[in-house]
Amino acid sequence: MPTPKPTLWIDADACPRVARDIIIRAAERTQTRTWMVANHALPLPPSPWVKSRTVAHGFDAADNEIVDAVTKGDLVVTSDLPLAQEVIERGAMVMTTRGEDLTLDNIKSRVQMRDFMETLRASGEHTQGPNAYTDGDRRTFANALDRWLQRHARV
């Protein structure tokens, strides 16, 4: 029996609109089940492949929904490092909206750096936030998602 196609799980609350549009087009083209999970309603085109799940407002509600639903081999698109760590431990793959793969090999150091920076900010240190989402980020993400879908979703 063939292995079922993986599902894409999108942490849509913080996903840039342009990245969501890329995901929608890719999901339609490859006929890949895709869930946009957010704590508010998302405007999505009618599609048999792309659906949304609106969760209750609350700390980590969307993250918990994704963790509960993800299965081994699925792809989660998020820049939320604790969420990434949880789903990686469940056997899912993770890509940021900038096209970076998060893996067992790099997630722990990323979480540690995030925690360190959070401690600095809490002590009053001013740190830079993330860089603006650029056209280069968009292209890198679109190319990385296409490569992932070719390898894992049998385009």
Side-chain angles (χ1 to χ4, degrees), residues 4-127:
K5 280 175 107 171
T7 298
L8 302 181
W9 294 94
I10 314 308
D11 181 11
D13 285 324
C15 184
R17 176 65 187 249
V18 65
R20 284 198 320 253
D21 292 344
I22 290 165
I23 293 163
I24 291 166
R25 286 191 303 273
E28 289 291 327
R29 184 180 70 250
T30 62
Q31 299 182 344
T32 301
R33 284 183 318 244
T34 302
W35 287 98
M36 301 273 181
V37 183
N39 62 15
H40 61 282
L42 294 171
L44 295 175
S47 169
W49 303 106
V50 181
K51 304 290 182 195
S52 69
R53 288 190 183 183
T54 304
V55 298
H57 290 274
F59 187 70
D60 288 341
D63 296 359
N64 294 336
E65 179 76 16
I66 292 170
V67 169
D68 290 344
V70 74
T71 60
K72 184 177 180 173
D74 288 350
L75 176 67
V76 176
V77 176
T78 186
S79 295
D80 181 317
L81 297 176
L83 169 59
Q85 187 168 20
E86 276 194 80
V87 298
I88 288 168
E89 290 168 357
R90 290 176 150 272
M93 291 170 254
V94 177
M95 179 184 299
T96 70
T97 56
R98 296 177 192 267
E100 302 167 298
D101 289 326
L102 298 177
T103 66
L104 282 173
D105 294 332
N106 66 16
I107 190 63
K108 287 184 179 163
S109 63
R110 294 276 189 105
V111 170
Q112 287 171 343
M113 181 55 76
R114 171 197 166 268
D115 292 346
F116 174 72
M117 296 303 285
E118 203 169 87
T119 301
L120 276 179
R121 285 188 293 275
S123 71
E125 185 73 28
H126 294 285
T127 61

